[in-house]
Amino acid sequence: MNKTCIVLAGPTAVGKTSIALELAAHFNTQIISADSRQCFKELDIGVAKPSQAELSAIHHYFINSHSIHEKLSAADFEKYALEAVGKIFKQNDIAVMVGGTGLYIKAFCEGLDEIPAIDEKIRNEIIVGYDLNGIGWLKQQIVERDPLYFTSGEMQNPQRMMRALEVKLSTGNSITSFQTKQKVKRNFDIIQVGLELPRDILYGQINSRVDAMMKKGLEEEVSNLLPYKHLNALQTVGYRELFNFYDKETSLPKAVELIKQNTRHYAKRQMTWFKKNHLITWLLPDINVVSEYLRKSLGDMEI
């Protein structure tokens, strides 16, 4: 059998972690996380990391691997993940990747587009503009200067928005125009599985999970991170809303409701991204359903 990486994608709270753990246990293999926030060791409850018991049972790459003080890109993830899958394949024919960061999964499966060098003066001006004026200013800049990215890019992620703006101002072209190159052919097989639920069920799971996070101590976790709230790693749903509570800009119940609302919006954006990938086969987050599909894809296999 060819070396194969099973990629489990899908929106937040759909149930990816439990399916990945079952598959990794069955194949006696390891997991690569494709989550742009679970990699930070200072973040825990708010990024829905697997439990300590789960992390001890199955080795996970790209969880607790970096600090919030480090800047990470999709290119960094691509390099890291390819090295990780290479290590796994030395011991096993199967690797499992799981996560909801679409750009990271795309980088691993297809490679990244090469973008010309960026003018550092422009980059610094954009950073200063964002620091002074916030995400509203950033959004307006993109609306005026790169409407193509505004209609198709991630408009809730300041880092990616700044990246899009600096590319447009440096090259004269939208970052989307660089995203059309031939896909890289990896020297291993990739099976992409998307997990989805009816929207009302998914949204119910999101709301329940936020309540569980609050009971688990999310408020205290965010309180301990207040000195670092300016870092890009903390411009994240679940942290940003509670920072506003601590800044007395909103009440705690309102902050919790906003976490639920913004997480639902994030899940919708994730699905919009993943649905553009026609190589993903969409299944219910049920180990029996996933196993049956993999049986057919991989050949003789029992779970």
Side-chain angles (χ1 to χ4, degrees):
M1 185 178 79
N2 290 343
K3 303 289 187 183
T4 302
C5 185
I6 300 166
V7 177
L8 293 176
T12 187
V14 78
K16 299 184 296 294
T17 296
S18 62
I19 300 289
L21 286 163
E22 290 200 57
L23 290 177
H26 171 76
F27 289 114
N28 191 29
T29 192
Q30 299 175 334
I31 292 173
I32 303 167
S33 168
D35 186 297
S36 64
R37 292 299 184 260
Q38 289 186 357
C39 59
F40 296 122
K41 56 194 172 189
E42 295 90 347
L43 310 186
D44 187 24
I45 299 168
V47 295
K49 279 179 187 167
S51 69
Q52 273 307 124
E54 290 166 338
L55 292 174
S56 298
I58 305 284
H59 181 74
H60 286 66
Y61 291 91
F62 212 64
I63 287 186
N64 297 327
S65 54
H66 294 76
S67 167
I68 55 174
H69 301 285
E70 298 176 67
K71 286 188 176 179
L72 289 172
S73 67
D76 294 323
F77 176 78
E78 179 187 13
K79 181 174 183 292
Y80 179 103
L82 288 173
E83 290 175 358
V85 83
K87 292 175 185 175
I88 294 171
F89 285 152
K90 286 179 181 177
Q91 307 293 329
N92 203 297
D93 289 335
I94 300 288
V96 175
M97 174 175 284
V98 60
T101 303
L103 188 59
Y104 280 18
I105 289 174
K106 176 180 165 65
F108 175 77
C109 294
E110 304 175 8
L112 289 169
D113 306 284
E114 291 184 19
I115 295 174
I118 301 302
D119 185 323
E120 280 298 320
K121 183 171 180 287
I122 289 174
R123 172 174 287 163
N124 290 333
E125 287 173 352
I126 292 170
I127 291 171
V128 170
Y130 170 64
D131 287 344
L132 288 175
N133 305 300
I135 196 168
W137 172 85
L138 196 53
K139 180 178 179 180
Q140 189 57 38
Q141 291 294 308
I142 291 173
V143 168
E144 294 174 5
R145 298 168 183 269
D146 191 353
L148 192 58
Y149 181 85
F150 174 70
T151 59
S152 61
E154 290 194 52
M155 289 300 294
Q156 298 293 325
N157 186 317
Q159 187 178 34
R160 294 199 183 127
M161 292 166 71
M162 286 191 281
R163 176 65 171 153
L165 188 57
E166 70 183 17
V167 169
K168 177 65 175 179
L169 296 182
S170 293
T171 69
N173 296 312
S174 173
I175 194 170
T176 59
S177 68
F178 296 101
Q179 297 170 342
T180 56
K181 74 163 192 178
Q182 286 294 107
K183 296 174 183 176
V184 170
K185 183 72 177 80
R186 300 301 186 196
N187 63 353
F188 50 88
D189 293 340
I190 298 174
I191 298 174
Q192 297 188 62
V193 174
L195 302 179
E196 67 175 338
L197 285 167
R199 184 175 293 183
D200 58 333
I201 295 175
L202 178 65
Y203 285 4
Q205 290 187 180
I206 286 171
N207 294 341
S208 296
R209 189 166 77 170
V210 172
D211 288 334
M213 285 175 171
M214 292 302 295
K215 287 178 182 173
K216 201 173 175 182
L218 180 59
E219 187 181 346
E220 183 181 358
E221 178 174 305
V222 174
S223 173
N224 293 332
L225 291 165
L226 279 170
Y228 313 111
K229 66 180 182 178
H230 62 285
L231 296 177
N232 182 69
L234 289 165
Q235 309 310 307
T236 301
V237 175
Y239 295 85
R240 197 171 53 226
E241 296 84 356
L242 286 171
F243 287 144
N244 289 340
F245 160 67
Y246 282 113
D247 288 341
K248 303 192 185 321
E249 294 176 14
T250 188
S251 66
L252 184 58
K254 180 63 175 175
V256 172
E257 191 51 47
L258 283 172
I259 294 173
K260 293 177 181 178
Q261 178 183 308
N262 291 336
T263 305
R264 295 193 299 267
H265 290 168
Y266 175 56
K268 186 177 179 181
R269 291 195 303 274
Q270 286 176 298
M271 288 302 292
T272 299
W273 172 283
F274 286 127
K275 287 289 186 175
K276 294 175 184 173
N277 182 352
H278 300 300
L279 295 176
I280 293 178
T281 298
W282 290 94
L283 303 171
L284 289 170
D286 179 305
I287 189 61
N288 296 317
V289 174
V290 174
S291 300
E292 182 59 31
Y293 173 72
L294 291 175
R295 233 178 243 116
K296 294 173 182 174
S297 301
L298 290 168
D300 187 26
M301 163 183 148
E302 292 185 7
I303 294 184

